[in-house]
Amino acid sequence: LAKTTQPISMDSYEGQEVNITCSHNNIATNDYITWYQQFPSQGPRFIIQGYKTKVTNEVASLFIPADRKSSTLSLPRVSLSDTAVYYCLVGDYYNTDKLIFGTGTRLQVFP
Amino acid sequence: DAGVTQSPTHLIKTRGQQVTLRCSPKSGHDTVSWYQQALGQGPQFIFQYYEEEERQRGNFPDRFSGHQFPNYSSELNVNALLLGDSALYLCASSLAKRPNQPQHFGDGTRLSIL
């Protein structure tokens, strides 16, 4: 499974757009990219998933360049409730495989 | 539609004891994975169960064992508890025939070892 690298922490203010970039240089052809959000004392929550180009849902966008060696999670107009740890993972599209989490990015949103 | 439920939510044990944690998967899911999350770290994969058998295992000693029941629920057992076993234990469920769908996590059991 491809290893991922992401910033340890980020700060933002309410109403701003936050972009968290994840590096996955060794991503394989069958790998897809998934982002999870985790609040203290809760389990990770699925945010968004993609394979290439751009994916958008009601909470976030995921940008994946053509070489797929990185991806960027974009959170529009963050609020205090977006303060959490965000994990980037890559996994085989065809296998319900174990998930390999890094230490994630701790996002702190200030008023 | 109930999501993944885990019990108990908190548990305190002493060194050397044994513990059993329980997980009910999201309705319709048939695969259960267990993770250990130490404070300040990302979750670490322990093992995965499908069709009542252990399908994959992470780098955890044999003190960690599990079981899956015919109704897809699962248990995690830890023997001879060590102080280092203090962590949040997470259960995640998924559907084997939809491998590209994200795993759904419960809110975990907080295990404290004294």
Side-chain angles (χ1 to χ4, degrees):
Chain A
L1 295 173
K3 181 180 177 180
T4 61
T5 304
Q6 48 185 126
I8 294 174
S9 64
M10 295 182 68
D11 292 337
S12 183
Y13 291 94
E14 283 191 293
Q16 290 189 330
E17 178 185 72
V18 171
N19 295 308
I20 306 174
T21 297
C22 178
S23 172
H24 28 79
N25 291 319
N26 297 321
I27 191 168
T29 302
N30 288 341
D31 285 343
Y32 57 94
I33 300 152
T34 307
W35 286 80
Y36 283 86
Q37 174 194 56
Q38 186 177 26
F39 299 112
S41 298
Q42 292 187 22
R45 297 280 183 257
F46 169 79
I47 301 176
I48 198 166
Q49 178 179 289
Y51 184 78
K52 61 180 179 180
T53 62
K54 176 183 175 182
V55 179
T56 298
N57 61 22
E58 62 275 9
V59 297
S61 295
L62 178 59
F63 299 92
I64 306 169
D67 66 6
R68 304 201 325 121
K69 293 184 182 300
S70 67
S71 59
T72 298
L73 174 72
S74 181
L75 304 173
R77 298 179 298 282
V78 295
S79 65
L80 295 176
S81 63
D82 292 316
T83 294
V85 178
Y86 292 82
Y87 294 98
C88 163
L89 297 88
V90 295
D92 192 325
Y93 188 87
Y94 296 104
N95 291 290
T96 305
D97 213 345
K98 61 183 179 182
L99 299 178
I100 297 181
F101 289 81
T103 52
T105 297
R106 189 171 302 274
L107 174 65
Q108 179 69 54
V109 180
F110 295 95
Chain B
D1 181 18
V4 178
T5 58
Q6 294 187 241
S7 63
T9 54
H10 296 84
L11 202 52
I12 299 175
K13 292 286 188 179
T14 57
R15 283 179 297 174
Q17 286 189 311
Q18 177 266 343
V19 69
T20 297
L21 311 181
R22 296 176 175 81
C23 171
S24 292
K26 177 181 169 63
S27 177
H29 283 183
D30 57 10
T31 303
V32 173
S33 302
W34 287 91
Y35 294 81
Q36 179 195 65
Q37 186 173 25
L39 201 60
Q41 302 296 316
Q44 300 297 307
F45 176 77
I46 302 175
F47 43 54
Q48 183 181 82
Y49 276 83
Y50 172 67
E51 292 187 334
E52 302 180 48
E53 291 189 357
E54 183 181 293
R55 189 163 72 170
Q56 291 189 77
R57 189 178 183 91
N59 188 26
F60 279 80
D62 292 344
R63 298 187 297 109
F64 290 77
S65 63
H67 188 76
Q68 185 180 35
F69 299 93
N71 66 352
Y72 307 120
S73 66
S74 177
E75 290 181 349
L76 164 66
N77 302 292
V78 187
N79 295 321
L81 287 166
L82 304 173
L83 292 178
D85 294 332
S86 293
L88 180 68
Y89 288 85
L90 296 162
C91 169
S93 72
S94 54
L95 183 60
K97 66 179 182 182
R98 296 282 188 265
N100 55 316
Q101 296 300 304
Q103 294 186 20
H104 291 248
F105 284 82
D107 285 335
T109 294
R110 172 71 64 187
L111 176 62
S112 299
I113 310 300
L114 304 180

